[in-house]
Amino acid sequence: MDSGKVQIYYGEGRGKSAAALGCALQAASAGENVFIIQFLKGRMEVESAFIQRLEPEIKVFRFEKSIKRYESLSDQEKLEENINLKNGVNFARKVLMTAECSLLVLDELLGVLDNGVVSVEEVKALLAAKAESTQLILTGRVLPRELRECADEIYQIRTQKKYYSENKP
């Protein structure tokens, strides 16, 4: 495992979370302790049930209460959900400060930032709280210029061709 590195997977294409999950599976298969905190995805009950079968090697946390994805919420619902998202960020800070895991994946943390729930300064402080031996992976669509300096590796994921169909998501 790439001990202590900060990796970022970002871009408009699909596959950022899948790439991070692949890293999590590799780390877990090597005997590492892995935590995943997912943001902005709603409760995802079907996916959650599947991923929970990977415990205790991979522990997945979601702090959102709504079943709907964040972008589908009304402004009032977003305000309420923002409190839950901030609780997730605070939990991530605690995990990083106490080195509770070898790999921490913050799935869609960049989306939390892009939606104005947390600031760039708060994300930088979160990264600064990381134990030296903990590997950290962040995902999201938009990577602010100010965070580029905080990463050891940055991967831009983009779609070059997409099949469109009324029956496909």
Side-chain angles (χ1 to χ4, degrees):
M1 188 172 93
D2 296 326
S3 182
K5 286 187 178 177
V6 175
Q7 296 178 334
I8 298 176
Y9 294 89
Y10 84 102
E12 293 298 319
R14 297 178 66 168
K16 299 173 291 290
S17 297
L21 182 58
C23 292
L25 290 171
Q26 286 178 327
S29 69
E32 302 291 339
N33 187 19
V34 178
F35 284 16
I36 299 173
I37 303 175
Q38 291 187 314
F39 299 97
L40 303 179
K41 298 187 179 214
R43 285 192 296 185
M44 298 174 49
E45 291 173 352
V46 173
E47 293 89 344
S48 294
F50 178 80
I51 291 177
Q52 285 177 348
R53 296 187 343 215
L54 300 174
E55 288 189 9
E57 290 83 4
I58 298 177
K59 293 181 179 73
V60 179
F61 302 91
R62 290 185 187 88
F63 290 83
E64 292 169 85
K65 303 296 184 217
S66 177
I67 294 172
K68 297 186 284 187
R69 293 178 67 93
Y70 188 82
E71 65 267 11
S72 302
L73 299 175
S74 69
D75 289 343
Q76 180 59 39
E77 291 171 320
K78 284 181 182 178
L79 288 174
E80 294 168 9
E81 200 66 271
N82 288 350
I83 295 167
N84 301 323
L85 293 168
K86 287 182 181 185
N87 286 338
V89 172
N90 289 333
F91 177 70
R93 182 176 297 106
K94 176 190 163 282
V95 168
L96 288 170
M97 289 173 53
T98 59
E100 285 187 57
C101 61
S102 306
L103 169 62
L104 175 61
V105 175
L106 299 177
D107 190 20
E108 278 300 331
L109 179 67
L110 297 177
V112 174
L113 174 62
D114 196 38
N115 280 289
V117 179
V118 294
S119 67
V120 170
E121 292 75 25
E122 288 173 298
V123 174
K124 281 184 166 185
L126 182 68
L127 298 176
K130 181 182 84 63
E132 193 172 312
S133 61
T134 303
Q135 182 182 0
L136 182 59
I137 298 175
L138 283 61
T139 70
R141 291 190 180 275
V142 178
L143 176 60
R145 180 180 31 83
E146 302 91 342
L147 289 182
R148 290 181 171 275
E149 66 197 37
C150 301
D152 296 300
E153 298 176 357
I154 298 173
Y155 300 92
Q156 183 178 17
I157 310 296
R158 59 190 175 116
T159 302
Q160 291 187 353
K161 182 178 181 180
K162 184 174 182 175
Y163 173 73
Y164 289 94
S165 171
E166 292 179 18
N167 299 324
K168 294 254 180 189

